[in-house]
């Protein structure tokens, strides 16, 4: 009889990093997918939905031989307050470490997948009694979708693929572009990902727009909403920049590497697991120096570095390796028979 695997995706059902994993597991096991049911009944609205939320999770737990949680979210908080029905695995990405993890009862959880060694260190520092349950499996994407134009000449088109979160530090890169142009370099910045609304997020977006206007950069800084064809968009980018101060394992950076973009990153904890040391910088002045140095290289040297970027991405972040490792975690937790 085919074993059943419960799939519970937190963060309001954010499947963006999980589609390939779920499909792969579904070829081996019978999936039991949690679907949040919301009642709009005016009376008892909150109480009824809390009951439905808890009941839905319990149903998946009872039906499954193993449950897999994508994101260590409120779903796992609720599940770990219930009786243990079978093995539990979870994949923790990044910000859940402080938003949700302190509220989770980690004792019933059997395996904790972190997306980088840096995230594993952070988790183990907070929950040392759970360290023996952790393993690192990097994020991965089907990189064969990203086919670069290696003969495209360098055109000073810089790219960032991220929503307007303050931790992405788009504001500082706009200033860096202004300073590069003041020095005579025709830098252009392309930022894709779209606006996010919420406390502090609206003012961040507005501040960036005002900065672009005040620096007279409307012809040099371009904003795009959510990108549906990421490979095509990245093929128009010469150099990809990750300026975050916090990441788990940045998928867009891996995609840019696979697209043949030359990539530079602020040295957020874990960036060294993705890029070589020469591609990391501390401050924006060092970033500008690296951009200028690359722009002055002969075309063949630029091409070689871009090819190195793609090769590194394909060697370290291959989707099949990720799927194989997750299958091994699941198989190791399931009872024999």
């Amino acid at each position: 009889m085919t074993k059943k695997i419960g799939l519970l995706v937190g963060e309001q059902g954010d499947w963006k990093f999980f589609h390939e994993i779920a499909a792969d597991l579904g070829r081996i096991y019978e999936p039991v997918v949690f679907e949040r049911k919301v009642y709009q009944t005016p009376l008892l609205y909150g109480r009824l939905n809390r009951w439905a939320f808890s009941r839905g999770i319990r149903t998946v737990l009872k039906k499954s031989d193993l449950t897999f949680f994508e994101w260590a979210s409120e779903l796992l908080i609720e599940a770990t307050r219930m009786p243990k029905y079978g093995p539990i695995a979870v994949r923790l990405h990044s910000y859940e470490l402080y938003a949700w993890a302190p509220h989770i009862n980690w004792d019933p959880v059997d395996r904790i997948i972190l997306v980088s060694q840096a995230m594993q260190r952070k988790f183990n520092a907070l929950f040392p009694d759970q360290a023996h349950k952790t393993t690192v499996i990097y994020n991965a994407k089907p990189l064969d979708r990203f086919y670069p134009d290696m003969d495209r000449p360098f055109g000073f088109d810089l790219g960032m693929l991220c929503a307007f979160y303050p931790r992405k530090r788009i504001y500082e890169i706009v200033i860096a572009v202004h300073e590069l142009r003041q020095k005579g370099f025709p830098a252009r910045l392309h930022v894709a990902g779209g606006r996010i609304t919420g406390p502090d997020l609206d003012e961040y977006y507005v501040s960036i727009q005002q900065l672009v206007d005040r620096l007279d950069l409307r012809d040099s800084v371009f904003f795009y909403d959510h990108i549906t064809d990421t490979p095509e968009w990245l093929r128009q980018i010469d150099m990809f920049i990750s300026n975050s101060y916090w990441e788990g394992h940045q998928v867009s950076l891996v995609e840019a590497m696979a697209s043949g973009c030359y990539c530079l990153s602020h040295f957020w904890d874990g960036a060294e697991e993705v890029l070589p040391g020469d591609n990391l910088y501390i401050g924006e002045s060092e970033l500008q120096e690296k951009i200028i140095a690359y722009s002055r290289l002969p075309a063949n040297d630029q091409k070689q570095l871009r090819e190195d970027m793609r090769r590194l991405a394909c060697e370290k972040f291959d989707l099949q390796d990720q799927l194989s490792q997750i299958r091994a975690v699941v198989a190791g937790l399931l009872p024999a028979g």
Side-chain angles (χ1 to χ4, degrees), residues 277-297:
D278 288 344
N279 293 70
L280 305 180
Y281 62 88
I282 298 174
E284 276 72 42
S285 60
E286 186 180 2
L287 168 63
Q288 291 182 48
E289 291 171 4
K290 288 182 178 293
I291 293 172
I292 293 169
Y294 178 82
S295 74
R296 288 173 170 167
L297 289 175

Side-chain angles (χ1 to χ4, degrees), residues 171 201-214:
Y171 191 98
L201 300 178
D202 293 311
E203 65 183 40
Y204 186 65
Y205 176 83
V206 170
S207 295
I208 292 173
Q209 299 298 326
Q210 291 177 336
L211 178 67
V212 171
D213 288 333
R214 292 170 68 189

Side-chain angles (χ1 to χ4, degrees), residues 71-82:
W71 307 94
S73 70
E74 77 280 13
L75 302 181
L76 188 58
I77 293 175
E78 186 71 15
T80 55
R81 293 172 178 171
M82 297 176 178

Side-chain angles (χ1 to χ4, degrees), residues 50-205:
R50 284 193 297 271
W51 171 84
F53 176 72
S54 180
R55 182 175 181 273
I57 294 173
R58 189 185 300 269
T59 298
V60 174
L61 292 173
K62 284 183 173 182
K63 287 184 176 181
S64 305
D65 295 290
L66 175 145
T67 50
F68 192 107
F69 289 79
E70 170 73 350
W71 307 94
S73 70
E74 77 280 13
L75 302 181
L76 188 58
I77 293 175
E78 186 71 15
T80 55
R81 293 172 178 171
M82 297 176 178
K84 187 174 172 67
Y85 296 98
I88 294 174
V90 60
R91 197 162 73 121
L92 189 156
H93 290 258
S94 176
Y95 92 98
E96 312 110 277
L97 190 64
Y98 297 109
W100 298 112
H103 308 290
I104 292 168
N105 174 17
W106 290 102
D107 290 338
V109 179
D110 299 280
R111 205 66 172 157
I112 304 155
I113 299 171
L114 290 309
V115 298
S116 69
Q117 296 173 33
M119 287 303 304
Q120 185 184 46
R121 290 194 299 270
K122 294 183 181 79
F123 181 90
N124 291 348
L126 290 174
F127 309 102
D129 292 343
Q130 308 296 328
H132 64 287
K133 301 178 182 178
T134 65
T135 189
V136 173
I137 302 177
Y138 290 125
N139 279 323
K141 298 292 284 185
L143 299 183
D144 56 342
R145 293 178 52 225
F146 299 85
Y147 38 97
D149 178 6
M150 287 300 184
D151 294 320
R152 183 174 182 269
F154 182 73
F156 252 109
D157 285 294
L158 315 179
M160 302 179 75
L161 187 53
C162 56
F164 281 78
Y165 288 112
R167 66 181 170 89
K168 300 294 185 177
R169 299 199 306 158
I170 301 167
Y171 191 98
E172 288 83 351
I173 300 302
V174 172
I175 294 174
V177 167
H178 168 71
E179 292 177 348
L180 284 168
R181 295 185 69 83
Q182 293 292 102
K183 295 173 184 176
F185 299 98
R188 292 177 295 274
L189 177 63
H190 305 264
V191 183
R195 179 178 182 176
I196 304 293
T197 60
D200 298 329
L201 300 178
D202 293 311
E203 65 183 40
Y204 186 65
Y205 176 83

Side-chain angles (χ1 to χ4, degrees), residues 283-336:
E284 276 72 42
S285 60
E286 186 180 2
L287 168 63
Q288 291 182 48
E289 291 171 4
K290 288 182 178 293
I291 293 172
I292 293 169
Y294 178 82
S295 74
R296 288 173 170 167
L297 289 175
N300 284 340
D301 290 350
Q302 292 178 348
K303 181 179 178 180
Q304 183 61 58
L305 289 171
R306 295 170 63 205
E307 289 175 347
D308 292 343
M309 286 279 98
R310 176 167 172 80
R311 181 168 56 253
L312 182 61
C314 293
E315 288 174 354
K316 294 186 66 175
F317 310 116
D318 178 71
L319 177 64
Q320 294 307 313
D321 289 342
Q322 180 202 49
L323 297 179
S324 176
Q325 292 175 64
I326 289 178
R327 284 197 301 267
V329 168
V330 170
L333 292 176
L334 282 168

Side-chain angles (χ1 to χ4, degrees), residues 232-284:
E232 177 61 29
W233 188 84
L234 284 169
R235 275 196 297 277
Q236 314 309 312
I237 301 300
D238 297 309
M239 182 179 294
F240 186 89
I241 299 173
S242 170
N243 199 45
S244 305
Y245 60 78
W246 174 282
E247 293 284 351
H249 183 253
Q250 191 177 17
V251 172
S252 60
L253 177 55
V254 173
E255 293 174 335
M257 294 167 67
S259 297
C261 299
Y262 187 66
C263 298
L264 296 172
S265 176
H266 176 64
F267 76 139
W268 44 266
D269 190 19
E272 71 282 357
E273 299 177 51
V274 185
L275 290 175
D278 288 344
N279 293 70
L280 305 180
Y281 62 88
I282 298 174
E284 276 72 42

